Amino acid sequence: MLRENLLLSLFVFFMFSVSFGQEGAMEPEKRLKPSEGDWGFTFNLTGLITNLELRSNEDLIGNQILFFRHYLKDDLAIRAGFGLTTNRQKSMRKDSLRQIPAFVEFDSLFSRSDVAISFGVEKHLDHLRRLDPYFGGELLFQIIGKENVSYNRNETTTAGTTSLEGERKVDGGFGIGLYGIAGFNYFITERISLGAEYRFGYNFLKTGGNFSESEITTPPSGSVTSVFNKGTAEERISGFAVNSTANIIFSIFF
């Protein structure tokens, strides 16, 4: 992926150089860049020429977020992102075991919701007609929801049905990112641009916490057995890093 992004970056830089060298009397004078009061949406452009794909920005755990800009002045813009990811997965399986005369039914349910909010400021260097370099800063907050897993397994043999019911709950987490940003937009036509951006900064991510597990086994005959477990499982990740290295950015403003 990094190799593809770098190749695409070189291609875009080459096109910028050719277009910039041809600017001048051939084009009518018009405002290509966004101005005060304009809004814009931004997407990451991935892949090479034959498999280009537009994707949203991502939060600290890889969920996609909606990202936009608003120009307070011709050379000053705020940037913001918001993501809400609700994950609810249900799976079911039925199969017959050939080794023994048995039939197994299994179903499970997983659910978790995550929220991410980012806010930043960009200072644009409005000296060139098409090329729009900028720098600024950004702050990102991440909330990871609680994880809930439940499952049910029934195994039926000639002796009867053995049922297994289980449940697991795990605390969520949170994260924060503080970045310095530098990048550019190159306006290929009015209000539409390609560009690249680097973010260097500090990430902190805490996941997990308290958890509880329970499992109840009900045999076709005999006593029901139960297992309960509680504890703490937590992970913390922090450090400085470059994010979104050489991503190609597609922006449209209105």
Side-chain angles (χ1 to χ4, degrees), residues 85-119:
T85 303
T86 300
N87 194 342
R88 183 179 175 87
Q89 299 175 348
K90 185 173 183 178
S91 61
M92 295 183 292
R93 188 180 75 240
K94 297 181 180 181
D95 57 77
S96 177
L97 302 179
R98 297 182 179 181
Q99 294 85 355
I100 56 175
F103 184 77
V104 176
E105 296 177 284
F106 179 84
D107 64 85
S108 63
L109 179 65
F110 169 89
S111 63
R112 194 184 79 191
S113 297
D114 307 316
V115 177
I117 300 173
S118 67
F119 180 81

mmCIF file of all heavy atoms in Angstrom, residues 85-119:
data_model
loop_
_atom_site.group_PDB
_atom_site.id
_atom_site.type_symbol
_atom_site.label_atom_id
_atom_site.label_comp_id
_atom_site.label_asym_id
_atom_site.label_seq_id
_atom_site.Cartn_x
_atom_site.Cartn_y
_atom_site.Cartn_z
ATOM 1 N N THR A 85 -19.527 4.374 14.384
ATOM 2 C CA THR A 85 -19.506 3.012 13.862
ATOM 3 C C THR A 85 -20.229 2.090 14.831
ATOM 4 O O THR A 85 -19.810 1.947 15.986
ATOM 5 C CB THR A 85 -18.058 2.517 13.667
ATOM 6 O OG1 THR A 85 -17.369 3.416 12.799
ATOM 7 C CG2 THR A 85 -18.053 1.123 13.052
ATOM 8 N N THR A 86 -21.315 1.510 14.377
ATOM 9 C CA THR A 86 -22.072 0.553 15.182
ATOM 10 C C THR A 86 -21.931 -0.821 14.555
ATOM 11 O O THR A 86 -22.271 -1.018 13.388
ATOM 12 C CB THR A 86 -23.558 0.943 15.250
ATOM 13 O OG1 THR A 86 -23.668 2.237 15.849
ATOM 14 C CG2 THR A 86 -24.345 -0.045 16.086
ATOM 15 N N ASN A 87 -21.395 -1.730 15.324
ATOM 16 C CA ASN A 87 -21.104 -3.063 14.807
ATOM 17 C C ASN A 87 -21.950 -4.090 15.554
ATOM 18 O O ASN A 87 -21.797 -4.287 16.760
ATOM 19 C CB ASN A 87 -19.609 -3.372 14.987
ATOM 20 C CG ASN A 87 -19.183 -4.580 14.177
ATOM 21 O OD1 ASN A 87 -20.015 -5.373 13.758
ATOM 22 N ND2 ASN A 87 -17.894 -4.727 13.976
ATOM 23 N N ARG A 88 -22.851 -4.723 14.827
ATOM 24 C CA ARG A 88 -23.683 -5.788 15.408
ATOM 25 C C ARG A 88 -23.662 -6.957 14.435
ATOM 26 O O ARG A 88 -24.194 -6.865 13.331
ATOM 27 C CB ARG A 88 -25.113 -5.299 15.640
ATOM 28 C CG ARG A 88 -26.018 -6.334 16.309
ATOM 29 C CD ARG A 88 -27.405 -5.754 16.533
ATOM 30 N NE ARG A 88 -28.335 -6.733 17.056
ATOM 31 C CZ ARG A 88 -28.511 -7.006 18.335
ATOM 32 N NH1 ARG A 88 -27.807 -6.372 19.248
ATOM 33 N NH2 ARG A 88 -29.392 -7.912 18.721
ATOM 34 N N GLN A 89 -23.028 -8.036 14.831
ATOM 35 C CA GLN A 89 -22.858 -9.189 13.961
ATOM 36 C C GLN A 89 -23.523 -10.412 14.591
ATOM 37 O O GLN A 89 -23.297 -10.711 15.766
ATOM 38 C CB GLN A 89 -21.373 -9.491 13.737
ATOM 39 C CG GLN A 89 -20.616 -8.353 13.077
ATOM 40 C CD GLN A 89 -19.139 -8.640 12.983
ATOM 41 O OE1 GLN A 89 -18.637 -9.574 13.602
ATOM 42 N NE2 GLN A 89 -18.424 -7.845 12.211
ATOM 43 N N LYS A 90 -24.310 -11.108 13.800
ATOM 44 C CA LYS A 90 -24.949 -12.336 14.261
ATOM 45 C C LYS A 90 -24.614 -13.446 13.285
ATOM 46 O O LYS A 90 -24.733 -13.281 12.076
ATOM 47 C CB LYS A 90 -26.456 -12.168 14.359
ATOM 48 C CG LYS A 90 -27.158 -13.394 14.952
ATOM 49 C CD LYS A 90 -28.630 -13.132 15.206
ATOM 50 C CE LYS A 90 -29.282 -14.344 15.863
ATOM 51 N NZ LYS A 90 -30.718 -14.115 16.163
ATOM 52 N N SER A 91 -24.161 -14.564 13.818
ATOM 53 C CA SER A 91 -23.819 -15.702 12.967
ATOM 54 C C SER A 91 -24.511 -16.956 13.484
ATOM 55 O O SER A 91 -24.710 -17.126 14.684
ATOM 56 C CB SER A 91 -22.298 -15.917 12.945
ATOM 57 O OG SER A 91 -21.813 -16.199 14.241
ATOM 58 N N MET A 92 -24.892 -17.825 12.559
ATOM 59 C CA MET A 92 -25.541 -19.091 12.900
ATOM 60 C C MET A 92 -24.938 -20.205 12.051
ATOM 61 O O MET A 92 -24.538 -19.987 10.906
ATOM 62 C CB MET A 92 -27.050 -19.009 12.660
ATOM 63 C CG MET A 92 -27.770 -18.018 13.547
ATOM 64 S SD MET A 92 -29.564 -18.022 13.264
ATOM 65 C CE MET A 92 -29.627 -17.336 11.608
ATOM 66 N N ARG A 93 -24.851 -21.374 12.635
ATOM 67 C CA ARG A 93 -24.312 -22.516 11.907
ATOM 68 C C ARG A 93 -25.010 -23.791 12.367
ATOM 69 O O ARG A 93 -25.233 -23.991 13.558
ATOM 70 C CB ARG A 93 -22.798 -22.634 12.137
ATOM 71 C CG ARG A 93 -22.144 -23.701 11.251
ATOM 72 C CD ARG A 93 -20.649 -23.803 11.495
ATOM 73 N NE ARG A 93 -20.353 -24.489 12.734
ATOM 74 C CZ ARG A 93 -19.693 -23.960 13.743
ATOM 75 N NH1 ARG A 93 -19.287 -22.712 13.681
ATOM 76 N NH2 ARG A 93 -19.452 -24.652 14.843
ATOM 77 N N LYS A 94 -25.342 -24.632 11.403
ATOM 78 C CA LYS A 94 -25.907 -25.946 11.696
ATOM 79 C C LYS A 94 -25.138 -26.976 10.886
ATOM 80 O O LYS A 94 -24.942 -26.804 9.692
ATOM 81 C CB LYS A 94 -27.394 -26.007 11.333
ATOM 82 C CG LYS A 94 -28.281 -25.053 12.117
ATOM 83 C CD LYS A 94 -29.729 -25.199 11.704
ATOM 84 C CE LYS A 94 -30.622 -24.250 12.490
ATOM 85 N NZ LYS A 94 -32.056 -24.400 12.109
ATOM 86 N N ASP A 95 -24.691 -28.016 11.538
ATOM 87 C CA ASP A 95 -23.982 -29.059 10.791
ATOM 88 C C ASP A 95 -24.123 -30.399 11.506
ATOM 89 O O ASP A 95 -24.378 -30.467 12.706
ATOM 90 C CB ASP A 95 -22.501 -28.710 10.589
ATOM 91 C CG ASP A 95 -21.798 -28.479 11.906
ATOM 92 O OD1 ASP A 95 -21.479 -29.454 12.598
ATOM 93 O OD2 ASP A 95 -21.569 -27.310 12.256
ATOM 94 N N SER A 96 -23.938 -31.442 10.727
ATOM 95 C CA SER A 96 -24.016 -32.801 11.244
ATOM 96 C C SER A 96 -22.610 -33.372 11.338
ATOM 97 O O SER A 96 -21.829 -33.291 10.386
ATOM 98 C CB SER A 96 -24.870 -33.664 10.318
ATOM 99 O OG SER A 96 -24.897 -35.003 10.767
ATOM 100 N N LEU A 97 -22.264 -33.909 12.502
ATOM 101 C CA LEU A 97 -20.952 -34.517 12.695
ATOM 102 C C LEU A 97 -21.002 -35.966 12.234
ATOM 103 O O LEU A 97 -21.787 -36.770 12.740
ATOM 104 C CB LEU A 97 -20.554 -34.448 14.170
ATOM 105 C CG LEU A 97 -20.494 -33.035 14.772
ATOM 106 C CD1 LEU A 97 -20.115 -33.108 16.238
ATOM 107 C CD2 LEU A 97 -19.508 -32.177 14.013
ATOM 108 N N ARG A 98 -20.166 -36.295 11.271
ATOM 109 C CA ARG A 98 -20.220 -37.634 10.690
ATOM 110 C C ARG A 98 -19.528 -38.679 11.546
ATOM 111 O O ARG A 98 -19.791 -39.869 11.417
ATOM 112 C CB ARG A 98 -19.580 -37.615 9.295
ATOM 113 C CG ARG A 98 -20.325 -36.726 8.306
ATOM 114 C CD ARG A 98 -19.691 -36.770 6.930
ATOM 115 N NE ARG A 98 -20.435 -35.920 6.001
ATOM 116 C CZ ARG A 98 -20.119 -35.771 4.718
ATOM 117 N NH1 ARG A 98 -19.053 -36.417 4.228
ATOM 118 N NH2 ARG A 98 -20.844 -34.994 3.943
ATOM 119 N N GLN A 99 -18.592 -38.221 12.411
ATOM 120 C CA GLN A 99 -17.863 -39.202 13.223
ATOM 121 C C GLN A 99 -18.794 -39.888 14.223
ATOM 122 O O GLN A 99 -18.672 -41.055 14.527
ATOM 123 C CB GLN A 99 -16.710 -38.520 13.985
ATOM 124 C CG GLN A 99 -15.614 -37.979 13.078
ATOM 125 C CD GLN A 99 -15.955 -36.585 12.558
ATOM 126 O OE1 GLN A 99 -17.041 -36.089 12.813
ATOM 127 N NE2 GLN A 99 -15.038 -35.985 11.820
ATOM 128 N N ILE A 100 -19.747 -39.114 14.728
ATOM 129 C CA ILE A 100 -20.699 -39.657 15.693
ATOM 130 C C ILE A 100 -22.093 -39.180 15.291
ATOM 131 O O ILE A 100 -22.231 -38.179 14.594
ATOM 132 C CB ILE A 100 -20.378 -39.192 17.132
ATOM 133 C CG1 ILE A 100 -20.336 -37.649 17.189
ATOM 134 C CG2 ILE A 100 -19.069 -39.777 17.617
ATOM 135 C CD1 ILE A 100 -20.137 -37.127 18.588
ATOM 136 N N PRO A 101 -23.106 -39.895 15.672
ATOM 137 C CA PRO A 101 -24.468 -39.474 15.318
ATOM 138 C C PRO A 101 -24.886 -38.247 16.137
ATOM 139 O O PRO A 101 -25.499 -38.363 17.195
ATOM 140 C CB PRO A 101 -25.324 -40.698 15.653
ATOM 141 C CG PRO A 101 -24.562 -41.419 16.721
ATOM 142 C CD PRO A 101 -23.111 -41.182 16.402
ATOM 143 N N ALA A 102 -24.492 -37.040 15.657
ATOM 144 C CA ALA A 102 -24.795 -35.816 16.392
ATOM 145 C C ALA A 102 -25.144 -34.700 15.418
ATOM 146 O O ALA A 102 -24.748 -34.712 14.259
ATOM 147 C CB ALA A 102 -23.603 -35.414 17.250
ATOM 148 N N PHE A 103 -25.898 -33.752 15.936
ATOM 149 C CA PHE A 103 -26.255 -32.565 15.161
ATOM 150 C C PHE A 103 -25.971 -31.343 16.016
ATOM 151 O O PHE A 103 -26.382 -31.268 17.182
ATOM 152 C CB PHE A 103 -27.742 -32.611 14.779
ATOM 153 C CG PHE A 103 -28.174 -31.475 13.908
ATOM 154 C CD1 PHE A 103 -27.872 -31.470 12.556
ATOM 155 C CD2 PHE A 103 -28.871 -30.398 14.448
ATOM 156 C CE1 PHE A 103 -28.269 -30.420 11.749
ATOM 157 C CE2 PHE A 103 -29.267 -29.357 13.648
ATOM 158 C CZ PHE A 103 -28.973 -29.355 12.295
ATOM 159 N N VAL A 104 -25.222 -30.360 15.465
ATOM 160 C CA VAL A 104 -24.772 -29.202 16.238
ATOM 161 C C VAL A 104 -25.377 -27.922 15.666
ATOM 162 O O VAL A 104 -25.345 -27.692 14.461
ATOM 163 C CB VAL A 104 -23.239 -29.093 16.227
ATOM 164 C CG1 VAL A 104 -22.796 -27.832 16.960
ATOM 165 C CG2 VAL A 104 -22.614 -30.320 16.876
ATOM 166 N N GLU A 105 -25.952 -27.107 16.542
ATOM 167 C CA GLU A 105 -26.433 -25.780 16.205
ATOM 168 C C GLU A 105 -25.639 -24.757 17.016
ATOM 169 O O GLU A 105 -25.458 -24.923 18.218
ATOM 170 C CB GLU A 105 -27.918 -25.628 16.519
ATOM 171 C CG GLU A 105 -28.826 -26.526 15.711
ATOM 172 C CD GLU A 105 -30.272 -26.353 16.131
ATOM 173 O OE1 GLU A 105 -30.636 -26.876 17.193
ATOM 174 O OE2 GLU A 105 -31.018 -25.683 15.405
ATOM 175 N N PHE A 106 -25.174 -23.712 16.335
ATOM 176 C CA PHE A 106 -24.373 -22.700 17.024
ATOM 177 C C PHE A 106 -24.773 -21.329 16.499
ATOM 178 O O PHE A 106 -24.886 -21.115 15.294
ATOM 179 C CB PHE A 106 -22.879 -22.929 16.769
ATOM 180 C CG PHE A 106 -21.992 -21.897 17.437
ATOM 181 C CD1 PHE A 106 -21.630 -22.038 18.757
ATOM 182 C CD2 PHE A 106 -21.541 -20.792 16.732
ATOM 183 C CE1 PHE A 106 -20.835 -21.093 19.374
ATOM 184 C CE2 PHE A 106 -20.737 -19.840 17.344
ATOM 185 C CZ PHE A 106 -20.381 -19.995 18.672
ATOM 186 N N ASP A 107 -25.001 -20.383 17.418
ATOM 187 C CA ASP A 107 -25.231 -18.998 17.008
ATOM 188 C C ASP A 107 -24.556 -18.072 18.008
ATOM 189 O O ASP A 107 -24.407 -18.401 19.192
ATOM 190 C CB ASP A 107 -26.723 -18.682 16.876
ATOM 191 C CG ASP A 107 -27.451 -18.784 18.204
ATOM 192 O OD1 ASP A 107 -27.431 -17.783 18.952
ATOM 193 O OD2 ASP A 107 -28.039 -19.847 18.494
ATOM 194 N N SER A 108 -24.118 -16.907 17.515
ATOM 195 C CA SER A 108 -23.420 -15.947 18.356
ATOM 196 C C SER A 108 -23.830 -14.540 17.948
ATOM 197 O O SER A 108 -24.279 -14.292 16.824
ATOM 198 C CB SER A 108 -21.909 -16.108 18.230
ATOM 199 O OG SER A 108 -21.475 -15.836 16.910
ATOM 200 N N LEU A 109 -23.635 -13.592 18.872
ATOM 201 C CA LEU A 109 -23.981 -12.203 18.649
ATOM 202 C C LEU A 109 -22.882 -11.322 19.215
ATOM 203 O O LEU A 109 -22.470 -11.484 20.367
ATOM 204 C CB LEU A 109 -25.317 -11.864 19.306
ATOM 205 C CG LEU A 109 -25.807 -10.418 19.166
ATOM 206 C CD1 LEU A 109 -26.099 -10.097 17.703
ATOM 207 C CD2 LEU A 109 -27.054 -10.189 20.018
ATOM 208 N N PHE A 110 -22.373 -10.397 18.385
ATOM 209 C CA PHE A 110 -21.326 -9.462 18.806
ATOM 210 C C PHE A 110 -21.833 -8.042 18.569
ATOM 211 O O PHE A 110 -22.407 -7.741 17.519
ATOM 212 C CB PHE A 110 -20.050 -9.697 17.991
ATOM 213 C CG PHE A 110 -19.011 -8.613 18.160
ATOM 214 C CD1 PHE A 110 -18.076 -8.699 19.170
ATOM 215 C CD2 PHE A 110 -18.983 -7.520 17.304
ATOM 216 C CE1 PHE A 110 -17.127 -7.705 19.330
ATOM 217 C CE2 PHE A 110 -18.039 -6.523 17.451
ATOM 218 C CZ PHE A 110 -17.102 -6.612 18.468
ATOM 219 N N SER A 111 -21.610 -7.137 19.530
ATOM 220 C CA SER A 111 -22.037 -5.749 19.353
ATOM 221 C C SER A 111 -21.047 -4.801 20.023
ATOM 222 O O SER A 111 -20.491 -5.097 21.084
ATOM 223 C CB SER A 111 -23.444 -5.525 19.921
ATOM 224 O OG SER A 111 -23.461 -5.761 21.314
ATOM 225 N N ARG A 112 -20.821 -3.631 19.367
ATOM 226 C CA ARG A 112 -19.956 -2.576 19.903
ATOM 227 C C ARG A 112 -20.178 -1.320 19.086
ATOM 228 O O ARG A 112 -20.421 -1.380 17.885
ATOM 229 C CB ARG A 112 -18.486 -2.968 19.834
ATOM 230 C CG ARG A 112 -17.572 -2.085 20.679
ATOM 231 C CD ARG A 112 -16.119 -2.462 20.494
ATOM 232 N NE ARG A 112 -15.581 -1.927 19.258
ATOM 233 C CZ ARG A 112 -14.410 -2.272 18.750
ATOM 234 N NH1 ARG A 112 -13.675 -3.200 19.332
ATOM 235 N NH2 ARG A 112 -13.973 -1.720 17.635
ATOM 236 N N SER A 113 -20.096 -0.153 19.722
ATOM 237 C CA SER A 113 -20.246 1.134 19.034
ATOM 238 C C SER A 113 -19.062 2.026 19.366
ATOM 239 O O SER A 113 -18.638 2.104 20.519
ATOM 240 C CB SER A 113 -21.555 1.827 19.450
ATOM 241 O OG SER A 113 -22.676 1.055 19.079
ATOM 242 N N ASP A 114 -18.532 2.706 18.338
ATOM 243 C CA ASP A 114 -17.368 3.579 18.496
ATOM 244 C C ASP A 114 -17.697 4.964 17.950
ATOM 245 O O ASP A 114 -18.450 5.109 16.983
ATOM 246 C CB ASP A 114 -16.153 3.023 17.743
ATOM 247 C CG ASP A 114 -15.856 1.576 18.115
ATOM 248 O OD1 ASP A 114 -15.903 1.258 19.316
ATOM 249 O OD2 ASP A 114 -15.586 0.775 17.213
ATOM 250 N N VAL A 115 -17.096 5.986 18.562
ATOM 251 C CA VAL A 115 -17.294 7.369 18.145
ATOM 252 C C VAL A 115 -15.936 8.049 18.041
ATOM 253 O O VAL A 115 -15.054 7.831 18.891
ATOM 254 C CB VAL A 115 -18.191 8.146 19.138
ATOM 255 C CG1 VAL A 115 -18.325 9.605 18.713
ATOM 256 C CG2 VAL A 115 -19.560 7.504 19.248
ATOM 257 N N ALA A 116 -15.758 8.868 16.998
ATOM 258 C CA ALA A 116 -14.526 9.640 16.831
ATOM 259 C C ALA A 116 -14.884 11.051 16.397
ATOM 260 O O ALA A 116 -15.768 11.252 15.555
ATOM 261 C CB ALA A 116 -13.605 8.985 15.808
ATOM 262 N N ILE A 117 -14.193 12.046 16.977
ATOM 263 C CA ILE A 117 -14.396 13.451 16.637
ATOM 264 C C ILE A 117 -13.029 14.105 16.496
ATOM 265 O O ILE A 117 -12.153 13.929 17.351
ATOM 266 C CB ILE A 117 -15.218 14.193 17.713
ATOM 267 C CG1 ILE A 117 -16.603 13.552 17.872
ATOM 268 C CG2 ILE A 117 -15.360 15.661 17.370
ATOM 269 C CD1 ILE A 117 -17.402 14.131 19.021
ATOM 270 N N SER A 118 -12.832 14.840 15.413
ATOM 271 C CA SER A 118 -11.576 15.563 15.225
ATOM 272 C C SER A 118 -11.862 17.021 14.888
ATOM 273 O O SER A 118 -12.911 17.354 14.327
ATOM 274 C CB SER A 118 -10.739 14.934 14.105
ATOM 275 O OG SER A 118 -11.359 15.102 12.848
ATOM 276 N N PHE A 119 -10.899 17.880 15.240
ATOM 277 C CA PHE A 119 -11.037 19.305 14.961
ATOM 278 C C PHE A 119 -9.657 19.883 14.734
ATOM 279 O O PHE A 119 -8.708 19.547 15.457
ATOM 280 C CB PHE A 119 -11.724 20.034 16.114
ATOM 281 C CG PHE A 119 -11.901 21.503 15.876
ATOM 282 C CD1 PHE A 119 -12.947 21.970 15.094
ATOM 283 C CD2 PHE A 119 -11.005 22.418 16.405
ATOM 284 C CE1 PHE A 119 -13.108 23.328 14.864
ATOM 285 C CE2 PHE A 119 -11.161 23.776 16.179
ATOM 286 C CZ PHE A 119 -12.214 24.238 15.405
#
